[in-house]
Amino acid sequence: MVAEVVAGLNCQTDQVYVDGTVGQGGHAETILTHSAPAGQLVGLDRDPAALEVAAHRLQAFRSRFRLFHSCYTDLRDILRNCQIEQVAGIVLDLGLSTQQLKQSGRGFSFLREEILDMRMDPKTPVPTAAEILNTYSEPDLTRLFLRLGEERWSRRIARRIVVARRQTPINTTSQLVELIRQAIPSKARRGRIHPATRVFQALRIAVNQELEKLTAFIPLAVSLLAPGGRLAIIAYHSLEDRIVKQQFLTLEKTGQLRRLTRKPIIPSPTEVNRNPQARSAKLRVGVKGGNSN
Ligand SMILES: C[S@@+](CC[C@H](N)C(=O)[O-])C[C@H]1O[C@@H](n2cnc3c(N)ncnc32)[C@H](O)[C@@H]1O
């Protein structure tokens, strides 16, 4: 939804924009193109591998962009260090990049045999997915799969994990997939989505504290926007989208943000055909302080 993001941000030629999840630089590249010749971009990502790809992709824009290895919740400090007080637009494109899913080797995909790490920043000192699976109590695992994966069979899966880990620690994606298969009823193994989808989602969200970061970020982002500045957020599952929707509504009630999208913008069928990962994307855009310029 690159075109929709650029339209949502209303890119101008002499303003500063932030891409808080720069990934492989797709959105950043389009923002820099649409804000030529003098627009600036500050790009952040937690994943150093993503920043390398983005830096290479954006090199033609030379001095118009700066990239930082950082969580988007550190944006205030990053902007202060760049001596930038306010920006004209901020975008977050949440979730995983294709590179993380297919090439990182960190256990994000249940279709590959990898170690269950799942940290977006491999140097962050937080428990990995394997550490969670091997140390959480059965009720804690049940709650995690239920709350962050909305997994119907949470209790059975947690039980199976706790029994299995008494014999061998759970360290790989294939071990976890097999335990999930064993735990759920045979009918549930043949559903529309892969039976491991929700547990993998729950673990990734927990490891990276994704909901807490997003919740903290939205008011911070609004405080860093100039009047009339835009905030655009793409969410990929209902837990994220609910946070964006509710926070935008709360900020609107207090006059801090006006929603430009009452209903989220979703990708066109052509985009979904081209990139099936985009099928669940929902974009919401708000403008600071009720002024739509
Ligand atoms: C869907 S990808 C972004 C793709 C990007 N828009 C592009 O066009 O290439 C999401 C990116 O957000 C990063 N990310 C997720 N949570 C983050 C956080 N709290 N702070 C900074 N980056 C984060 C991930 O590492 C990943 O590279």
Side-chain angles (χ1 to χ4, degrees):
M1 285 201 284
V2 182
E4 291 84 348
V5 165
V6 169
L9 291 180
N10 188 27
C11 284
Q12 307 292 312
T13 57
D14 53 357
Q15 300 289 326
V16 183
Y17 296 91
V18 170
D19 184 343
T21 54
V22 79
Q24 287 152 78
H27 284 118
E29 182 178 39
T30 312
I31 292 168
L32 282 161
T33 304
H34 280 77
S35 62
Q40 302 274 326
L41 181 115
V42 175
L44 277 55
D45 205 292
R46 271 171 148 183
D47 188 338
L51 289 170
E52 268 180 44
V53 178
H56 184 71
R57 181 175 192 159
L58 301 178
Q59 59 190 339
F61 298 98
R62 294 163 188 270
S63 58
R64 288 177 52 216
F65 74 93
R66 279 171 276 189
L67 298 181
F68 297 90
H69 176 216
S70 192
C71 177
Y72 54 63
T73 50
D74 297 332
L75 183 59
R76 186 182 298 284
D77 291 339
I78 302 271
L79 291 182
R80 192 179 293 130
N81 290 340
C82 296
Q83 296 179 327
I84 296 170
E85 262 177 47
Q86 291 187 313
V87 299
I90 301 177
V91 60
L92 288 190
D93 179 15
L94 298 164
L96 285 179
S97 68
T98 316
Q99 191 196 27
Q100 285 168 329
L101 200 62
K102 298 195 172 158
Q103 292 160 19
S104 72
R106 286 181 234 149
F108 291 115
S109 168
F110 43 75
L111 300 176
R112 297 182 157 68
E113 171 59 339
E114 291 172 358
I115 296 293
L116 283 163
D117 183 318
M118 293 202 190
R119 285 171 301 171
M120 286 184 185
D121 179 352
K123 294 232 164 84
T124 315
V126 293
T128 64
E131 282 163 354
I132 289 177
L133 289 169
N134 290 306
T135 59
Y136 273 32
S137 68
E138 189 178 325
D140 283 350
L141 284 175
T142 304
R143 267 192 295 277
L144 190 149
F145 300 149
L146 194 62
R147 195 172 74 79
L148 301 182
E150 298 178 313
E151 169 58 63
R152 189 177 165 196
W153 307 107
S154 298
R155 193 187 295 271
R156 292 170 67 141
I157 295 169
R159 178 86 205 118
R160 186 75 200 91
I161 287 168
V162 168
V163 170
R165 76 188 186 193
R166 287 188 200 130
Q167 309 295 323
T168 329
I170 301 151
N171 289 324
T172 68
T173 48
S174 62
Q175 273 178 293
L176 179 58
V177 169
E178 184 48 30
L179 292 173
I180 295 167
R181 274 187 197 287
Q182 290 168 6
I184 63 178
S186 57
K187 224 170 130 194
R189 291 180 207 144
R190 297 187 293 270
R192 198 172 50 83
I193 63 165
H194 190 289
T197 306
R198 295 177 193 282
V199 169
F200 271 64
Q201 172 187 303
L203 284 167
R204 192 202 83 208
I205 295 175
V207 167
N208 297 290
Q209 300 172 332
E210 291 178 32
L211 303 185
E212 294 85 344
K213 302 280 180 203
L214 178 60
T215 305
F217 180 73
I218 296 173
L220 168 72
V222 173
S223 75
L224 295 168
L225 285 174
R230 308 273 184 108
L231 175 60
I233 303 185
I234 305 177
Y236 288 87
H237 53 76
S238 55
L239 299 170
E240 277 172 356
D241 185 54
R242 210 171 294 148
I243 291 173
V244 181
K245 181 179 168 186
Q246 285 174 352
Q247 292 225 24
F248 274 28
L249 203 58
T250 307
L251 288 162
E252 188 168 75
K253 282 186 187 146
T254 53
Q256 297 174 74
L257 190 81
R258 187 164 64 79
R259 289 173 300 157
L260 294 178
T261 46
R262 298 272 149 154
K263 293 240 160 77
I265 300 170
I266 57 171
S268 65
T270 319
E271 177 162 3
V272 175
N273 256 337
R274 205 179 52 234
N275 173 19
Q277 244 181 278
R279 69 187 176 281
S280 49
K282 287 187 175 161
L283 167 66
R284 294 183 189 268
V285 186
V287 57
K288 177 160 175 171
N291 175 354
S292 65
N293 290 331

